[in-house]
């Protein structure tokens, strides 16, 4: 007989007991949030008034909603020590919303699937997962700002995931979030994904994160075939090693913009390995060294993607010369040539023409009227993350130094 999946067992444990729901007020009825949690049952709502609450919350009550008055006025503070919030063995009916979470080891979710909504998670430090640490969990994290968190510790250990760490079958949904200015001594300063299953990152901004090793914005270099990034912007991240924007083995990126990232060594934009896919993305104005400044392809599929104006190395490395796996792309305008190795321009719909960005000096990488990548003019349909959004391109030229200064 096959073993029952852990999430199925968890679902059985979390069935409601049928008691009448109650609304519990903090601090009017309960002096602390934890006291209200301890008194709650399935379906209860905990309303937390504006203020700062110096607590370490253990959330093991299924079906309880903890609602702050908004992250600008309601803070849960870890007082410089310990885990601020831990979710254990709760499902999607458990909700945390409207808080600023700071001053400790932020949020951990173990065997849990809560909703974390409209929160600011900032100024936390942990050996791994400075802002949020997920293991065997599938939460929904929506509308949150995760910023200025740090993964750091002993120099003899790995310190990953300054903003978020997803590991060990944690197919989270991360939607409409800002992941900003986090730091990791090792990998994945914005998001680190390690064997997390089919995680989804949708509609997010991943910006200004700094990794001491690889993957300033995102590192998903363990097998990540089910991971999906879509409609997201990954920009102005840095990495000491490489793949300052994204490092991913497997997984899919679609309609994403990867721009203005800087790597001290290796690829500035994205390095992707099989069985990965990049489709309808824009990879531009990244700085790297070695084989590629914009895109390093290791057996992945790349189509309908712009790779343009990346610096300090050839734009693309590893692109096959005639394989349909690399098709309908525009690779153009690189400081040290468009390709290292075979040049597939002219085959399988690949072109090398100015995509006519609207105003890259102000970060606008939409296409201008007349762009060869627009849906109206390209035989392949739209190439890149954005279609026509302006009538003309910026008339004045900006140096790379001027462009980079806007993203510091």
């Amino acid at each position: 007989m096959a073993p029952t999946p852990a999430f199925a067992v968890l679902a059985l444990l979390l069935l409601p007991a049928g008691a009448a729901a109650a609304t519990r007020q903090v601090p009017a009825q309960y002096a602390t949030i934890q006291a209200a949690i301890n008194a709650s049952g399935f379906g209860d709502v905990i309303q937390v008034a504006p203020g700062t609450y110096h607590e370490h919350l253990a959330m093991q009550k299924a079906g309880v909603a903890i609602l702050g008055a908004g992250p600008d006025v309601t803070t849960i503070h870890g007082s410089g020590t310990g885990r601020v919030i831990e979710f254990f063995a709760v499902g999607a009916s458990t909700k945390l919303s409207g808080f600023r979470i700071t001053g400790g080891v932020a949020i951990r979710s173990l065997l849990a699937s809560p909703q974390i909504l409209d929160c600011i998670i900032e100024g936390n430090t942990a050996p791994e997962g400075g802002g949020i640490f997920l293991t065997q969990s599938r939460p929904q994290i929506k509308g949150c700002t995760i910023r200025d968190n740090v993964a750091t510790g002993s120099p003899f250990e790995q310190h990953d995931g300054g903003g978020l760490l997803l590991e060990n079958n944690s197919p989270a949904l991360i939607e409409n979030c800002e992941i900003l200015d986090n730091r990791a001594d090792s990998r994945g300063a914005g998001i680190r994904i390690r064997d997390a299953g089919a995680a989804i990152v949708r509609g997010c901004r991943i910006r200004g994160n700094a990794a001491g090793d690889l993957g300033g914005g995102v590192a998903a270099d363990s097998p990540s075939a089910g991971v999906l990034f879509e409609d997201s912007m990954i920009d102005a991240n840095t990495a000491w090693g490489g793949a300052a924007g994204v490092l991913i083995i497997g997984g899919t990126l679609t309609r994403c913009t990867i721009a203005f990232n800087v790597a001290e060594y290796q690829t500035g934009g994205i390095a992707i390995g099989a069985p990965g896919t990049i489709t309808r993305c824009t990879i531009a104005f990244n700085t790297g060294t070695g084989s590629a400044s914009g895109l390093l392809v290791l057996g992945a599929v790349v189509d309908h993607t712009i790779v343009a104006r990346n610096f300090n190395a050839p734009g693309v490395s590893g692109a096959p010369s005639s394989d349909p796996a690399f098709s309908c792309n525009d690779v153009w305008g690189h400081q040290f040539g468009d390709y290292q190795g075979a040049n597939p321009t002219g085959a399988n719909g690949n072109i090398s023409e100015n995509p006519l960005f609207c105003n890259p000096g102000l970060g606008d990488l939409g296409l201008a009227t007349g762009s060869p990548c627009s849906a109206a003019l390209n035989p392949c349909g739209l190439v890149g993350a954005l279609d026509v959004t302006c009538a003309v391109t910026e008339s004045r030229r900006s140096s790379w130094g001027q462009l980079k200064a806007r993203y510091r």
Side-chain angles (χ1 to χ4, degrees):
M1 180 176 177
T4 304
F7 286 121
V9 173
L10 180 59
L12 292 174
L13 293 174
L14 300 180
L15 290 175
T23 298
R24 304 178 189 276
Q25 304 287 339
V26 179
Q29 294 174 292
Y30 298 87
T32 65
I33 302 170
Q34 188 65 57
I37 292 171
N38 295 343
S40 294
F42 195 97
D44 286 0
V45 175
I46 299 171
Q47 295 277 3
V48 182
T52 297
Y53 299 84
H54 292 269
E55 299 195 47
H56 300 88
L57 303 183
M59 187 59 197
Q60 301 181 33
K61 293 290 188 77
V64 175
I66 309 171
L67 309 181
D72 294 333
V73 295
T74 318
T75 296
I76 305 172
H77 199 296
S79 300
T81 60
R83 181 75 56 186
V84 183
I85 301 173
E86 178 144 10
F87 293 96
F88 177 73
V90 295
S93 57
T94 297
K95 181 186 298 184
L96 178 78
S97 179
F99 289 95
R100 175 175 174 256
I101 299 157
T102 190
V105 181
I107 295 175
R108 181 167 66 180
S109 178
L110 173 61
L111 280 171
S113 305
Q115 297 183 61
I116 302 170
L117 311 174
D118 302 314
C119 288
I120 295 174
I121 301 161
E122 66 177 353
N124 301 283
T125 301
E128 293 192 300
I132 298 177
F133 187 115
L134 308 178
T135 183
Q136 291 184 286
S137 294
R138 53 174 68 186
Q140 298 177 46
I141 303 168
K142 298 182 180 181
C144 292
T145 298
I146 303 165
R147 67 191 180 201
D148 296 312
N149 303 286
V150 180
T152 189
S154 165
F156 305 105
E157 298 175 350
Q158 190 86 359
H159 302 292
D160 294 349
L164 302 96
L165 173 63
L166 290 66
E167 69 166 17
N168 193 17
N169 190 23
S170 292
L173 171 63
I174 303 165
E175 189 170 56
N176 298 327
C177 291
E178 292 188 310
I179 302 165
L180 312 173
D181 302 318
N182 301 284
R183 180 171 65 83
D185 288 352
S186 301
R187 299 188 175 192
I191 303 176
R192 177 72 163 106
I193 297 174
R194 298 192 304 221
D195 297 313
I200 298 172
V201 179
R202 176 185 296 136
C204 291
R205 183 76 179 268
I206 303 170
R207 176 175 178 167
N209 304 284
D213 188 7
L214 304 174
V218 176
D221 54 325
S222 56
S224 304
V227 173
L228 172 64
F229 286 81
E230 62 181 1
D231 299 308
S232 295
M233 185 160 189
I234 303 166
D235 66 311
N237 302 285
T238 61
W240 177 255
V246 180
L247 171 65
I248 188 167
I249 306 299
T252 297
L253 292 95
T254 183
R255 299 185 303 276
C256 291
T257 300
I258 301 162
F260 305 102
N261 301 287
V262 179
E264 292 293 330
Y265 300 98
Q266 301 178 31
T267 306
I270 176 170
I272 184 167
T277 299
I278 300 174
T279 185
R280 287 189 165 87
C281 291
T282 297
I283 304 166
F285 298 98
N286 301 285
T287 299
T289 60
S291 59
S293 56
L295 172 63
L296 174 61
V297 186
L298 301 172
V301 174
V302 182
D303 66 77
H304 295 83
T305 289
I306 296 172
V307 186
R309 297 177 72 181
N310 300 284
F311 298 88
N312 284 5
V316 176
S317 179
S321 60
S322 59
D323 192 329
F326 194 88
S327 62
C328 292
N329 302 300
D330 182 15
V331 180
W332 174 85
H334 296 93
Q335 187 178 17
F336 290 96
D338 290 338
Y339 294 93
Q340 183 185 67
N343 186 333
T345 301
N348 297 305
N350 295 302
I351 64 174
S352 182
E353 298 183 38
N354 186 344
L356 300 181
F357 294 128
C358 286
N359 196 334
L362 296 178
D364 183 355
L365 299 183
L367 303 179
T369 301
S371 169
C373 297
S374 67
L377 296 180
N378 195 297
C380 291
L382 176 63
V383 177
L386 301 170
D387 207 337
V388 173
T389 60
C390 67
V392 294
T393 59
E394 181 183 30
S395 58
R396 58 186 173 82
R397 298 179 62 85
S398 294
S399 71
W400 170 230
Q402 290 171 321
L403 288 167
K404 187 163 60 174
R406 296 179 186 272
Y407 288 83
R408 286 176 177 164

